[in-house]
Amino acid sequence: MLHVPRLDVVDRRLMPDAASECDVATPHQATLRGGGPTPALTLRHIMQYIWQSGRSDEAIQSSRLSEMTTVRRTKTGEPRRHSTRPSQFFLESVQLERFKAAFRPDPLSLSPFTVIIGRNGSGKSTVLEALQWLDLAMRHDAVRACERYSGIHDLLNIRSRGQNTRYFKLVLNWTMGTQVGGSGPKATYELRVNESLDGRPLIHSESLVVSDEQDVPIIETEVEGTRIAPGRRILLPGDPSRKRIFDEPDRLALSRLAGGVNDGSLPHRTLEAIRAFWERAVFLRLSPQRLAQGSLPKRRSFDPLLDEEGQSLPALLNELTVTQKRALVEAMNIALPDISKIVVSETNTSREQNVYWSVREKMPTGYAGRGTYEIPASMLSEGTRRLTAILALLIRRPSPSLLCIEEIENGLDPWTVLDVLQRLQSAPRHSTQSILTSHSPWLLDNVELDAIRMVRRTGGNTRYSVFRTESAVKSFLATVPPGARYVNLTDSPE
C-alpha cells in the first residue's frame, strides 16, 4: 500500500518550495477569482517527497543512468570523461495550411516539453498527424505517408477541394542549441504537396534554409509543380560541385540529402541534425492489444524506435543494454515494486519469427515463501504495458529526438502519471522533445503554465495559442492551477 504522508508532517527540506516552484493550489483549495489562500502543496510535491525519501541511496544512484558519461583512460591511466549527450535540435514552431482541421491557423509555437489541450474535434491531433505524415514521407515517400488516410484526399481541408486549391502546406522551424529560442543556428523547412489529377500526392515545392550569421539555402524550388507534374528542386544550390536537380514526384529532397554531405560545413551540420531528428522521432497512439502481440526480434533500419501502436516493443527492449534494462526495472518499480526483470523470448529458428516480452515478479510462494514467476505481456494490465513502452523509450540511449504521445494519461494511475510527467519534463536534458495531448485538467495542474498550448475551433476555424497569454487565463489569480483555469474559462473553447 502506498503511504501518503500527512501534509503537516512532511519534511519540507526534502521537497521543492511550493511557493517558488510553480503557481499551485489544489483545485478544491483554489479561489478562482478574488482573494484566496496562499499556495499549497500539490500531489506532485508529495510524490516527489515519497519518491526521494522512499528509495535507498543505491537506488537513487542507479536511477541517474541517463546522466552517465563514457569514461576512457589517458596514457597515464587517468580517467577522461566524454559526455555522451548528443547535440540538441528542437522543433520551435509548426505552421499548417489546408491540412485536415487546420485551414490557415497561426503557427503553433513549441517548447521542449509541450502539452496540447482542447475540446474534442478542435484539432489537437492535427499537429501530430502532420508531423507524423512528414516522418513517414522521410522514411518512405509521400504515397506511403498518405496510405493510412486512404490517400491525400482525406488530408485536405474541406475548403481545399477547389480545382486550384487541392494541396496542403507545412512549415517547420528548428533551433539548434540547448533550448528553444536559443542562439544557435536555425533551420526553416517548407513543403507544399498537391493532389494530382489521378488522386496521388505530388511534391509542388520544397525549401530548406539554415540561418546563422546569414541565410544559407540547402533546398530551393526552381520550378513549382502542378497537378500534373512535380516541382523541380535544386539541392545544395550554393555549392557548384554538389548542386543537382531533384524532381522525383513523391519523394522529399530532404530525405535524399540528409546524411549525404560529409564535411563540417553548416549545411552538413544542419542535415545531420535533421537526419538524427527524424531517425529518432516517435509517435505513439499505444494499443494495449498490440503491445502484447510480439514482434520481430530486431526492427528494420527505416522503422521508428517504436511503432505508433507499440507492437515492436520486444525489438525495442532487445536494443537496451544490460544496464538500461536494470534502469527500466527500477523505473517500473516505482509503480510495480515486485517486478525484478524484463524478459524477451529468444528464437533459434528464423529471424522472421516473432518474439514476446514478459516480466518476472516476486510472489510469496515457493520455497520459504519467496518465488519468482514469469508473467507474459498478455496477462499484464493495459497500464503496465503502456508504462513499459514509454519508460523503455526514455531510458534508451540515444533517446527519441521527438516523442509525441496522444492522451498520455490513458491507462495510468495518478501516481504513475506524475512520475512519467517528471521524466518527460526532464527529458530535454537528453535531447528529447515531447509533445503530448491531454483531456485531463488534473494533469495540467502538474505541468508548467508556459508548456501548455490550447486549441480552439470557432466558426469552422482551428486556432492555436499559448495558454497563459489568453486574456481569460490571465484574469485568474496566480495561485489558481492551470487545470482549474482551463475548466473555468468563461469563453468556453467550443
Side-chain angles (χ1 to χ4, degrees), residues 354-419:
N354 277 3
V355 295
Y356 302 86
W357 68 280
S358 58
V359 301
R360 289 183 184 168
E361 185 173 4
K362 294 174 286 187
M363 296 184 182
T365 58
Y367 178 74
R370 294 189 300 273
T372 301
Y373 288 83
E374 195 162 307
I375 305 175
S378 58
M379 294 182 64
L380 297 172
S381 71
E382 294 183 0
T384 299
R385 299 175 208 170
R386 292 173 60 88
L387 178 63
T388 305
I390 295 171
L391 292 179
L393 284 168
L394 292 175
I395 286 171
R396 182 193 185 274
R397 293 293 178 267
S399 56
S401 55
L402 177 66
L403 181 54
C404 300
I405 308 177
E406 292 266 23
E407 299 182 20
I408 180 69
E409 69 274 13
N410 282 356
L412 304 180
D413 63 68
W415 297 271
T416 302
V417 170
L418 282 177
D419 180 64

Side-chain angles (χ1 to χ4, degrees), residues 422-439:
Q422 288 177 353
R423 295 175 186 276
L424 289 170
Q425 290 178 88
S426 64
R429 292 182 299 167
H430 312 293
S431 301
T432 295
Q433 180 175 13
S434 302
I435 306 175
L436 316 177
T437 66
S438 178
H439 287 288

Side-chain angles (χ1 to χ4, degrees), residues 8 61 127 210 224 271 295 319 336 412 443 467:
D8 57 341
Q61 182 65 27
V127 176
V210 59
E224 293 183 345
L271 291 170
S295 71
E319 293 183 13
L336 303 159
L412 304 180
L443 182 145
F467 184 68

Side-chain angles (χ1 to χ4, degrees), residues 117-185:
I117 58 172
R119 300 290 292 269
N120 291 331
S122 60
K124 294 187 304 300
S125 299
T126 298
V127 176
L128 302 192
E129 288 177 313
L131 292 173
Q132 189 173 17
W133 184 95
L134 189 53
D135 175 70
L136 285 169
M138 283 284 292
R139 297 178 189 276
H140 304 282
D141 54 41
V143 173
R144 176 72 178 273
C146 292
E147 284 179 354
R148 65 196 305 269
Y149 301 99
S150 301
I152 188 174
H153 182 81
D154 289 349
L155 289 174
L156 301 180
N157 184 274
I158 194 68
R159 284 182 281 178
S160 298
R161 304 294 172 85
Q163 183 65 25
N164 299 317
T165 59
R166 304 182 78 85
Y167 70 88
F168 67 80
K169 184 177 179 180
L170 311 177
V171 181
L172 278 64
N173 288 285
W174 285 282
T175 297
M176 286 187 282
T178 57
Q179 59 183 352
V180 169
S183 58

